[in-house]
Amino acid sequence: MLPEHARAHNRSLVLQALFHQGPSSRADLARSTGLTRVTVSDLVSVLISEGLVAELGVRPEGRVGKPATLVGMRTEEFQVVAVDLADDASLRGAVMTLTGAVVARRTVSLDGRTGDAAVGVLEDLCRELLAAADRPVVGVGIGSPGVIDASGVVVQAPNRGWYDLPLADLLAERLGVPVQVANDANTHALGEYTYGGATGAGLMVVTVGQGLGAGIVLDGALVRGRAHAAGEIGHVTVVDDRDVRAGDPEPRPCACGRAGCLETLLSLPALRRATAGRTPQESDAVLASVGRKLGVALAPVVSALNLAEVLLSGPPELLDGALRVEALATLRARTLPLLGQDLVLRMGSLDEDGALSGAAALVLSGQLGVT
Amino acid sequence: MLPEHARAHNRSLVLQALFHQGPSSRADLARSTGLTRVTVSDLVSVLISEGLVAELGVRPEGRVGKPATLVGMRTEEFQVVAVDLADDASLRGAVMTLTGAVVARRTVSLDGRTGDAAVGVLEDLCRELLAAADRPVVGVGIGSPGVIDASGVVVQAPNRGWYDLPLADLLAERLGVPVQVANDANTHALGEYTYGGATGAGLMVVTVGQGLGAGIVLDGALVRGRAHAAGEIGHVTVVDDRDVRAGDPEPRPCACGRAGCLETLLSLPALRRATAGRTPQESDAVLASVGRKLGVALAPVVSALNLAEVLLSGPPELLDGALRVEALATLRARTLPLLGQDLVLRMGSLDEDGALSGAAALVLSGQLGVT
DNA sequence: TCGATTAGTAAGGAAGGTGTACTAACAAAC
DNA sequence: GTTTGTTAGTACACCTTCCTTACTAATCGA
C-alpha cells in the first residue's frame, strides 16, 4: 500500500460523500470523512481543477459562524455509456448522466451473430453512444450474462460464444475510454446499491429475466466467488422426486441439462407460460407456489449471510404480488426469527432501466470509487 | 486513510508473508509484498526491534550473488491465550504459541453460573492462563456462542445470560491485555483459514456441536452480516409438512420454538440419539439422510457465493462417512456443474482443539493483521 | 582475476496528511 | 454598537512513509 493509494482512497471518500449527501461544505466533508479540513480543502481543489466538482455559492441557512461555501459533484456535466447484453436478440445501450438519468438510447439487433462478430456489434454500439454523448464520458460500463472475472475478462458466456475473452481491455483499447465489464445480475445489485438506496450491509438482488440471476453486495462490495460465478442461483434444484411425491408437478427439464432448477419455475418465459390463460386466482396460486420455492431456496442464504435486504427485479405484474408475499412469508417461517423478522423483501427501486443503471454504477465504482 | 494506516497495512503484509511462507530474506519479502527492498528492510528492522522477528543467519543454498540473510517470525517466543465458551457446562482455555501449539490447558466448570458471575469465572480463567504463559502474551482470544459484533460486544448469548455485554473491552481493561471476542463458529472458520490451510476465496465451516453453527470467509475476511448473526444456519427449516408427505419422519420440535430446523437433525445430541442402538447399516442410512438435508440446505449458499470449500467440524465418526458423502453428492446434484464440480467438502483440518485454534487466530488477525 | 548477479543499506526527494495559527464572516449577548 | 463565541477556510511548517538512485558486500562462473 503506497501513499498514493491512500490518496486515491481519500479522494473517493470525498466524492462518495458528495455523491450521496449532495452539495456540502468542505467542513461537512471533513466531518463525514474523518479527514481534516485542510486535507479536504486540498482534495476538493484538485477535484475542482479536474472539473468533477464545482463551488455552488454560499449555503443559505443562517447559522452561527462564517457561512459555508457549498461544493457539489458536477453529476450532469459528465456522462457514462451503459450497455446491457442480457437479451439474446439485441443490445440495449444508453448515454446516462452520473445520476443515472438517460440522455440517449440506442438498440441494435444481434441478428444471431456471436463470437467476434458480436464483439464488433457491441463495439459499433459503443462508438455510436460515445458520439451521442454531449459531455465528457467517464467510461463505458457493460453488464453481460456469463461468468466474468474482476478484470473484465469474459470467462464464458455461451449465448454470445465468448470464452476467455478480455472484453474490457479489448474495448478500452479500441475505444480509447475506460471500460468496465461485469455479470449483468451483479451489476444490477451494484446499481440498486448505488442508485436505488439499498443497504450495502447485506443485499441480494434477484433478477428475473430470460433466466434467473442474482448479485450479492456485502460490506459495500460485490461478492465474486471462487470462479467469479457468484449469484448463479438459477440452477439450484428446487423440484425433485420427493417434491413430486408431496404433490408438486413433475420437474421441468432445464437448459442446463438437469431438471427441476429454480429457473424452470422462476424466469419470464416460465412465469408467462404458467400464468397464460389462467384466471387471476389461478395465476396467483401458481405465483404463490413459485414464491414459496424461492423462499425455500433463499432461506439458507439469508441465514448464512444474515442479509438485510432481498430485492426482486423484473415485471411487477408477475413478481410484486402473490409471489413476493409468499416468498417473504416462507423466508420468515423458515429462518431464525432474529434473522427473518427485520428482513426486507421488496421490488428493486430501479425500473426497466435497472440493468443500464447497474452498468453505469459499475463505471462510477471503477473509475471514481463511488458506490 | 492516513499514512500510518498504510504503514500498518504494509507491516501486516510482511508479517503475513513471514507467517505463511516461513523464514525468508528481505529481498524475498520485497518480491512477495510488492514493496521495495528498502521499505521492507525498514519494516523488518522495526519488527526486529519489537522482538517479533529475528535474523536466522545466512540461507544455506548456494545461488549466484550475495547470500541472503533469512529473517523469521519468532512464533515460539510469543503466546496467546485462547478460550472456548461453546460448552454450556465448562470453559476450556489454553495457552498457545503463535503457530497454534498448545502449551498449557485449563478447564473450569461454570456450575450453572450466568451473567456477571459467568464473566467472573471467565476472567479468573484468563488470569490463570496468563499466569501460566511463559512468554509475552500477544492477546486473549475468545470464541463464544451467541451474536457478537465486530467490536467484541456480546449482543446476545442466551445460554450465558449475556445481553449487550461489551465483553472484549471489559476484559481488556481488567486484564490489561488486548482481548478479541467473536462467535465460536466464526472463529472456527477463521482458524481453518489461518491454521488449516483452507482457501480464503470462499470458505464455509460448518461446526457441529451442542448446536449447529457456521462461519464464512470471503476474500480473506469473515462475513458478519447485518445484525452480526451471519452463519446462523442451525434454524433453517429442512423438514416441513411436504417432506412428511414425501416420507420423512415428523419434524422434531427445536429449542428455537419451531420444528424441523436443521439443528434438530444435525447436532451432536441429535446425531447420537438417531444412531444410538442402531446397526452400522442403519446408522449409515440415518446419517446419509441427514447429509442429504445438509446438502439441500447448502446448495443455495454454495451457488449464491460460488464457494470453494465447505468444511465440517465435529466428531469424524459421525460426520466423516455417509453423512459427508451424501451431502457432497446432494450438493453436486443440486448445483450448476460449474459450481459443484470443483467444490471441496471435507472435514476440517483442526482437531478437537479447533475452537481454541480459532480463538488464537482471532488474536493473530486482530493484533498482528495475520490471517 | 574480472564481470555478472543478488542482497542489503544510505541518502535524498516526493507525496500526503497533520497541527497550529491565522483571517473571514456571522449570531447572540450585553 | 461592541464584544464574545463559533464556524469556515487557508497558509505554513513539520512528520511520516515510501521511492529512486547509488552504493557496498558477497558470491558464482568464465
Side-chain angles (χ1 to χ4, degrees):
Chain A
M1 161 116 16
L2 280 57
E4 67 205 70
H5 295 149
R7 178 73 162 182
H9 178 91
N10 292 340
R11 181 193 142 107
S12 290
L13 235 47
V14 169
L15 274 180
Q16 174 115 0
L18 282 176
F19 183 82
H20 288 295
Q21 298 164 23
S24 322
S25 72
R26 294 169 174 84
D28 291 337
L29 292 171
R31 279 184 288 267
S32 61
T33 59
L35 301 167
T36 61
R37 292 203 304 273
V38 178
T39 304
V40 169
S41 272
D42 189 39
L43 286 166
V44 165
S45 74
V46 170
L47 291 169
I48 288 178
S49 75
E50 292 175 7
L52 268 172
V53 165
E55 290 206 346
L56 304 175
V58 171
R59 170 183 279 145
E61 310 124 56
R63 289 188 304 186
V64 67
K66 175 179 173 179
T69 313
L70 292 178
V71 295
M73 196 168 165
R74 299 173 72 211
T75 51
E76 307 305 308
E77 300 304 314
F78 290 86
Q79 295 176 341
V80 298
V81 166
V83 181
D84 172 18
L85 306 186
D87 197 275
D88 283 349
S90 61
L91 310 184
R92 294 178 353 105
V95 177
M96 306 175 101
T97 68
L98 298 190
T99 52
V102 174
V103 175
R105 290 177 193 280
R106 295 287 188 284
T107 301
V108 300
S109 171
L110 263 177
D111 290 331
R113 276 168 290 195
T114 59
D116 286 347
V119 174
V121 175
L122 173 59
E123 183 188 342
D124 291 345
L125 174 62
C126 289
R127 283 191 198 284
E128 207 178 328
L129 288 163
L130 286 170
D134 56 1
R135 295 283 190 287
V137 171
V138 175
V140 174
I142 299 174
S144 167
V147 177
I148 298 164
D149 78 8
S151 63
V153 175
V154 180
V155 178
Q156 55 164 289
N159 292 355
R160 301 287 163 281
W162 292 339
Y163 298 92
D164 284 321
L165 173 73
L167 189 60
D169 288 348
L170 193 147
L171 285 178
E173 195 194 342
R174 293 198 200 164
L175 299 172
V177 175
V179 177
Q180 312 277 335
V181 185
N183 175 273
D184 54 349
N186 288 6
T187 59
H188 215 124
L190 201 61
E192 290 285 354
Y193 172 43
T194 302
Y195 292 117
T199 175
L203 167 71
M204 181 171 190
V205 177
V206 176
T207 304
V208 180
Q210 290 301 114
L212 178 65
I216 297 175
V217 176
L218 296 180
D219 298 324
L222 267 179
V223 174
R224 305 231 171 227
R226 187 212 48 186
H228 321 290
E232 293 288 343
I233 60 166
H235 301 280
V236 172
T237 304
V238 296
V239 184
D240 60 15
D241 295 347
R242 299 170 63 91
D243 295 300
V244 173
R245 262 179 276 156
D248 270 7
E250 282 291 326
R252 296 183 61 91
C254 179
C256 74
R258 297 232 174 87
C261 296
L262 183 55
E263 188 173 297
T264 63
L265 300 175
L266 183 55
S267 69
L268 289 194
L271 291 175
R272 296 217 166 102
R273 187 176 51 234
T275 56
R278 302 282 176 95
T279 68
Q281 284 84 350
E282 289 170 342
S283 288
D284 272 4
V286 171
L287 292 172
S289 77
V290 175
R292 187 167 186 289
K293 290 292 187 192
L294 177 62
V296 170
L298 290 187
V301 180
V302 168
S303 298
L305 300 178
N306 184 205
L307 292 178
E309 286 187 316
V310 176
L311 306 189
L312 298 179
S313 169
E317 66 274 16
L318 288 170
L319 303 178
D320 194 13
L323 193 155
R324 187 178 63 78
V325 169
E326 182 67 19
L328 180 56
T330 306
L331 269 173
R332 291 243 167 93
R334 295 176 79 97
T335 55
L336 195 62
L338 172 73
L339 301 172
Q341 66 196 3
D342 292 333
L343 178 74
V344 172
L345 174 60
R346 60 176 173 89
M347 294 300 294
S349 307
L350 306 176
D351 54 6
E352 69 276 5
D353 286 331
L356 291 175
S357 300
L362 202 59
V363 174
L364 248 65
S365 162
Q367 296 307 121
L368 306 179
V370 172
T371 54
Chain B
M1 161 119 6
L2 281 57
E4 68 205 69
H5 296 149
R7 177 72 162 183
H9 178 91
N10 291 338
R11 181 194 142 105
S12 290
L13 236 46
V14 169
L15 273 181
Q16 175 115 2
L18 282 176
F19 183 81
H20 283 117
Q21 299 164 22
S24 320
S25 72
R26 292 169 176 84
D28 291 336
L29 292 170
R31 280 184 287 266
S32 61
T33 60
L35 301 167
T36 61
R37 292 203 306 272
V38 179
T39 304
V40 169
S41 273
D42 190 39
L43 286 166
V44 165
S45 74
V46 170
L47 292 170
I48 287 177
S49 76
E50 292 175 8
L52 267 172
V53 165
E55 291 206 343
L56 303 175
V58 171
R59 169 182 280 145
E61 310 121 58
R63 290 187 304 188
V64 65
K66 176 180 173 179
T69 313
L70 292 178
V71 295
M73 196 168 165
R74 299 174 72 212
T75 51
E76 307 304 308
E77 300 304 315
F78 291 86
Q79 296 177 343
V80 297
V81 166
V83 181
D84 172 19
L85 307 186
D87 196 275
D88 283 348
S90 61
L91 310 184
R92 293 178 355 104
V95 177
M96 306 175 99
T97 69
L98 298 190
T99 51
V102 174
V103 175
R105 289 176 195 280
R106 295 287 187 283
T107 302
V108 299
S109 171
L110 262 178
D111 289 330
R113 275 168 291 195
T114 60
D116 287 347
V119 174
V121 174
L122 173 58
E123 183 187 342
D124 290 345
L125 174 63
C126 288
R127 283 192 198 284
E128 207 178 327
L129 288 163
L130 286 170
D134 56 0
R135 296 282 191 287
V137 171
V138 175
V140 174
I142 298 175
S144 166
V147 177
I148 299 165
D149 78 8
S151 64
V153 175
V154 179
V155 178
Q156 56 164 290
N159 293 356
R160 301 288 163 281
W162 292 339
Y163 298 91
D164 284 320
L165 174 72
L167 189 59
D169 288 349
L170 193 147
L171 284 178
E173 195 193 340
R174 293 198 199 165
L175 300 173
V177 175
V179 177
Q180 312 278 335
V181 185
N183 175 273
D184 54 348
N186 287 6
T187 58
H188 214 124
L190 201 61
E192 289 286 352
Y193 173 42
T194 303
Y195 292 117
T199 174
L203 167 70
M204 181 172 192
V205 177
V206 176
T207 304
V208 180
Q210 290 300 114
L212 178 65
I216 297 176
V217 176
L218 295 180
D219 298 324
L222 266 179
V223 174
R224 304 236 172 221
R226 186 212 49 184
H228 322 289
E232 294 289 342
I233 59 166
H235 301 281
V236 172
T237 304
V238 296
V239 184
D240 60 15
D241 296 347
R242 298 169 64 89
D243 295 301
V244 173
R245 263 179 275 156
D248 270 6
E250 283 291 326
R252 296 184 61 90
C254 179
C256 74
R258 297 232 175 86
C261 297
L262 183 55
E263 188 173 297
T264 64
L265 300 175
L266 183 55
S267 69
L268 289 195
L271 291 175
R272 294 218 167 102
R273 188 176 51 234
T275 56
R278 303 281 177 94
T279 68
Q281 283 84 350
E282 288 169 343
S283 287
D284 271 4
V286 171
L287 292 173
S289 77
V290 174
R292 186 167 186 289
K293 291 293 186 192
L294 177 63
V296 170
L298 290 187
V301 180
V302 167
S303 298
L305 300 179
N306 184 206
L307 293 177
E309 286 186 318
V310 176
L311 306 189
L312 298 179
S313 168
E317 66 273 18
L318 289 170
L319 304 178
D320 195 13
L323 193 155
R324 187 178 65 77
V325 170
E326 182 68 19
L328 181 55
T330 305
L331 269 173
R332 290 243 166 94
R334 295 175 80 97
T335 55
L336 195 64
L338 172 73
L339 301 172
Q341 67 196 4
D342 292 334
L343 178 73
V344 172
L345 174 61
R346 61 175 172 89
M347 295 301 293
S349 306
L350 306 176
D351 53 8
E352 71 274 6
D353 287 332
L356 291 175
S357 301
L362 201 59
V363 174
L364 247 66
S365 161
Q367 297 306 122
L368 307 178
V370 172
T371 54

